[in-house]
Amino acid sequence: MKLAYKALEHTVPDVFFDTTGCAFTFFVARVLAGCTVAAYVHYPTISTDMLKLVWERRPTYNNDANVAKSSMTTYIKIIYYTVFAVAYGFVGSMARLVMVNSSWTYNHIAFLWKAARPIVVYPPCDVESLKNLPLNNRKDPIIVSIGQFRPEKDHKLQVRSFARLIQKEPKFHHKARLVLVGSCRGPDDEKRVHELRDLVKSLGLEKSVDFVLNQPYSVVKEWFGKASVGLHTMWNEHFGIGVVELLAAGLIVVAHNSGGPKEDIIVDRKTGFLASTEEEYATCFAKALDMPEDQSILMRRSARESAAKFSDDVFNASFKTAILESKIVTAAATVVQLRRQ
């Protein structure tokens, strides 16, 4: 809010358009500066899912185990989250135009920002540069995942699911490979990679799991072209640009059965597979790797065609339509005229 105040002291725009998720700046822009407020929300600062996790005392990356163990700390956190959610809803309702990046985000924002009428505008994804990768002759049983080594990406589930595949289908031992492609933001992520390597070693998979770290996008695209299966394991991913890229690249994708991948991106068993547990992921891996060539090509083609609705062109058209239909530009012009009078 302080940064927004300083910026608005320097220049007061007709339309204050937030794409960073800092909803509390709306109060400064709307009430103090008199701007028309618009927002493109990628991820709600707080959600009903977060409240549910705390209430059920389930330890996760954003609900520390020590907090989950304590009833008193849990109740205090619930009260804090509830008060924060009310305040978040109050400032969010000040936006005249609200765009969201997925159905999952829509549901949460519509619930929290009572006065808002969100519009789903899918984010632009790089599908054009990937559509020339081959759909056939993907016979190497390579499973690839992409994403930063953040805790919410749940790479441990990927490794354990792959181990379960080898356990269930011994024919893939020393044949199938799991390739984890991603970047490390700092020491915490590097520590997480070290822990993953230890997990791989403890499962006896050193020769079957590869880590491709901090490489340029050209290397990522090479793995898109080599692999047969794409993997995603984040619970309640707000959208899933990486999932769209895997589809556009022609891979058979196994994604988490929640959030954006479930609600917007993948039609289960038609354009990919959805899973939640190690057992489900392993089963989907086996189905994808054992799929007859004609069925495989059909699913890959359907997946690539479905990814087209997330292209740059579609985003540009949807974004423009939302702006024009909201009439925020007209409203802002009226405010300017009133100011001059």
Side-chain angles (χ1 to χ4, degrees):
M1 292 178 71
K2 184 177 180 181
L3 180 61
Y5 183 82
K6 287 186 175 181
L8 291 167
E9 271 189 322
H10 184 267
T11 302
V12 178
D14 299 329
V15 178
F16 181 86
F17 207 128
D18 173 64
T19 62
T20 64
C22 297
F24 287 93
T25 61
F26 298 0
F27 179 84
V28 180
R30 179 72 184 89
V31 177
L32 302 183
C35 302
T36 298
V37 176
Y40 184 37
V41 183
H42 297 272
Y43 193 87
T45 306
I46 192 168
S47 69
T48 52
D49 290 328
M50 292 168 64
L51 288 165
K52 184 178 179 181
L53 281 175
V54 177
W55 179 256
E56 294 176 351
R57 298 172 66 179
R58 289 195 296 172
T60 63
Y61 66 91
N62 61 357
N63 190 38
D64 188 85
N66 292 324
V67 173
K69 289 177 183 177
S70 169
S71 298
M72 179 61 70
T73 309
T74 293
Y75 292 145
I76 292 172
K77 191 170 182 179
I78 281 288
I79 293 171
Y80 167 74
Y81 270 13
T82 302
V83 172
F84 186 90
V86 172
Y88 183 64
F90 172 71
V91 295
S93 297
M94 293 181 180
R96 181 183 175 93
L97 169 63
V98 178
M99 289 182 267
V100 295
N101 67 340
S102 69
S103 298
W104 183 88
T105 306
Y106 173 94
N107 291 331
H108 287 281
I109 291 298
F111 177 80
L112 293 165
W113 297 4
K114 300 297 185 182
R117 291 176 179 162
I119 301 168
V120 177
V121 176
Y122 296 126
C125 303
D126 179 23
V127 298
E128 288 299 315
S129 70
L130 298 171
K131 67 181 184 180
N132 292 325
L133 293 174
L135 294 176
N136 57 356
N137 295 322
R138 291 184 179 251
K139 298 179 180 179
D140 292 334
I142 299 174
I143 302 170
V144 65
S145 80
I146 57 170
Q148 292 178 329
F149 287 93
R150 305 200 310 262
E152 62 267 31
K153 294 298 184 181
D154 204 354
H155 286 87
K156 288 184 178 179
L157 176 57
Q158 298 182 6
V159 174
R160 291 194 298 265
S161 299
F162 182 72
R164 182 65 182 135
L165 168 69
I166 302 302
Q167 184 181 33
K168 289 181 59 170
E169 302 285 348
K171 65 183 178 182
F172 289 119
H173 193 44
H174 297 310
K175 184 180 178 183
R177 293 170 65 193
L178 172 64
V179 181
L180 306 180
V181 181
S183 60
C184 295
R185 299 165 298 173
D188 288 344
D189 288 356
E190 291 169 359
K191 179 183 177 183
R192 204 164 288 114
V193 171
H194 181 75
E195 292 172 351
L196 285 170
R197 291 185 189 275
D198 287 343
L199 177 61
V200 168
K201 186 176 181 180
S202 69
L203 294 170
L205 297 173
E206 302 100 308
K207 295 182 179 180
S208 301
V209 179
D210 298 315
F211 290 84
V212 181
L213 307 176
N214 304 317
Q215 295 298 308
Y217 190 58
S218 58
V219 174
V220 177
K221 288 177 70 173
E222 286 180 14
W223 281 107
F224 282 165
K226 294 177 184 177
S228 177
V229 176
L231 174 59
H232 164 274
T233 50
M234 179 176 171
W235 173 74
N236 269 351
E237 175 99 62
H238 52 290
F239 177 65
I241 290 178
V243 176
V244 173
E245 291 179 342
L246 292 169
L247 293 175
L251 282 77
I252 295 178
V253 179
V254 184
H256 200 280
N257 190 21
S258 65
K262 175 184 179 181
E263 297 186 37
D264 293 308
I265 301 175
I266 289 182
V267 179
D268 194 24
R269 302 179 189 279
K270 181 178 179 181
T271 61
F273 294 96
L274 294 169
S276 299
T277 65
E278 295 173 25
E279 187 68 27
E280 289 174 352
Y281 272 103
T283 298
C284 291
F285 292 161
K287 288 181 179 179
L289 294 173
D290 280 336
M291 192 176 292
E293 180 72 3
D294 58 337
Q295 294 179 27
S296 173
I297 293 176
L298 180 61
M299 179 173 281
R300 296 178 195 279
R301 183 177 293 114
S302 297
R304 177 170 287 172
E305 290 172 354
S306 72
K309 67 180 179 181
F310 307 113
S311 69
D312 290 341
D313 290 341
V314 172
F315 169 78
N316 291 337
S318 300
F319 191 89
K320 181 179 179 180
T321 298
I323 293 287
L324 294 176
E325 291 184 353
S326 71
K327 299 182 180 179
I328 60 170
V329 176
T330 304
T334 302
V335 172
V336 171
Q337 289 178 354
L338 291 173
R339 284 175 183 167
R340 289 173 179 174
Q341 293 173 1

